[in-house]
Amino acid sequence: MRVHVVSDVHGNTRDLARAGDGADALICLGDLVLFLDYADHSRGIFPDLFGVENADRIVELRTGRRYDEARAFGQRLWAGLDRDAAIVSAVRKQYAEMFAAFPTPTYATYGNVDIPSLWSEYARPGTTVLDGERIELDGRVFGFVGGGLRSPMRTPYEISDEEYAAKVEALGEVDVLCSHIPPDVPELTYDTVPRRFERGSRALLDAIRRTRPRYALFGHVHQPLARRMRIGSTECVNVGHFAATGRPWALEW
């Protein structure tokens, strides 16, 4: 059995269409939407609406951790516009392209920048959406937990620690724990480019220590201090490099 795993697609539809080549199934751990490419400020919903110069400015503020200034700057840009309608319209266009690129079968969960309420409109037969749920693939149990935890970034699918922990608890013991965000370990949550810690989950970490899955797979942190490490007997792997590399991570057994 060979499964390819991707996360943080962020608009890379071209490579997504090939991500399942040679695999029996594809797993996607979310963040399909590209709101703003921090490596190329000309790409994404934000520069399409407001131009590259404004994208440069908001990236400067956010990477400088000047979140209040970034929020105020964004509010000035959005003044007089229907923000929700503009974003949903742009996201719909991206979802139409990316869900059409998913191979069969695909098993997917949400990232923190995704809009879960739209997924049912675009997930075709052959794409199974899972959140707080399990599947079995050739004798191995995979558990899925989507979304992120609340942060200063205020992305669309952030939930409380308690709600997130309940989804983790609902999985029980699994062989492969699949989530968008990492467990709350400094080496796995620190992003070396913006030089900040992203939010990781204590509930995921506790579940790994308690139930000892073979693997914990996740994304969210694009340039982590550590791409993989062991927690007890569990191999923790960050697969959130897909937007930049176009290469899935492969799991075989």
Side-chain angles (χ1 to χ4, degrees):
M1 187 75 177
R2 181 181 177 94
V3 174
H4 287 177
V5 189
V6 301
S7 184
D8 299 83
V9 177
H10 292 303
N12 189 351
T13 308
R14 181 192 63 185
D15 290 321
L16 184 62
R18 300 192 293 262
D21 290 356
D24 298 290
L26 178 71
I27 288 175
C28 178
L29 303 183
D31 271 10
L32 301 181
V33 173
L34 178 61
F35 189 75
L36 175 58
D37 189 334
Y38 278 56
D40 180 354
H41 302 169
S42 68
R43 298 181 64 243
I45 296 171
F46 189 94
D48 286 349
L49 290 170
F50 301 116
V52 176
E53 184 176 336
N54 286 322
D56 291 341
R57 178 59 177 163
I58 204 160
V59 168
E60 177 188 7
L61 293 172
R62 286 179 176 177
T63 55
R65 305 179 195 175
R66 296 154 63 185
Y67 298 118
D68 290 339
E69 291 180 65
R71 195 167 296 116
F73 179 67
Q75 288 171 349
R76 291 195 297 272
L77 293 174
W78 285 104
L81 299 176
D82 187 334
R83 176 185 179 125
D84 289 343
I87 290 177
V88 168
S89 176
V91 169
R92 283 184 180 280
K93 181 179 179 182
Q94 292 187 11
Y95 278 170
E97 295 174 355
M98 283 180 282
F99 276 92
F102 278 143
T104 297
T106 291
Y107 303 93
T109 196
Y110 317 110
N112 61 293
V113 303
D114 286 311
I115 303 178
S117 61
L118 297 180
W119 279 36
S120 61
E121 297 182 34
Y122 296 96
R124 304 178 304 170
T127 297
T128 304
V129 180
L130 301 143
D131 190 13
E133 300 165 281
R134 308 152 43 113
I135 57 165
E136 183 175 330
L137 296 176
D138 196 33
R140 287 196 178 180
V141 177
F142 290 69
F144 293 78
V145 185
L149 297 174
R150 289 176 182 154
S151 75
M153 304 299 285
R154 299 185 183 180
T155 50
Y157 191 38
E158 294 180 354
I159 61 177
S160 69
D161 289 60
E162 293 76 17
E163 185 179 354
Y164 195 92
K167 293 195 294 185
V168 175
E169 183 67 24
L171 297 179
E173 295 187 7
V174 298
D175 297 301
V176 185
L177 180 56
C178 300
S179 59
H180 177 68
I181 62 174
D184 189 15
V185 176
E187 294 88 342
L188 300 176
T189 59
Y190 187 74
D191 196 317
T192 60
V193 173
R195 294 180 295 175
R196 66 168 182 255
F197 288 97
E198 301 289 350
R199 287 219 59 193
S201 168
R202 172 60 60 171
L204 286 173
L205 179 59
D206 290 344
I208 289 168
R209 288 172 171 166
R210 184 178 69 254
T211 66
R212 295 181 292 178
R214 295 170 185 255
Y215 293 93
L217 308 179
F218 49 86
H220 187 55
V221 182
H222 296 170
Q223 301 91 16
L225 189 62
R227 290 203 175 275
R228 60 193 303 161
M229 67 181 297
R230 280 197 169 272
I231 299 175
S233 59
T234 301
E235 185 74 13
C236 300
V237 185
N238 183 311
V239 299
H241 48 70
F242 188 76
T245 68
R247 295 193 300 271
W249 185 80
L251 176 63
E252 293 184 283
W253 69 96

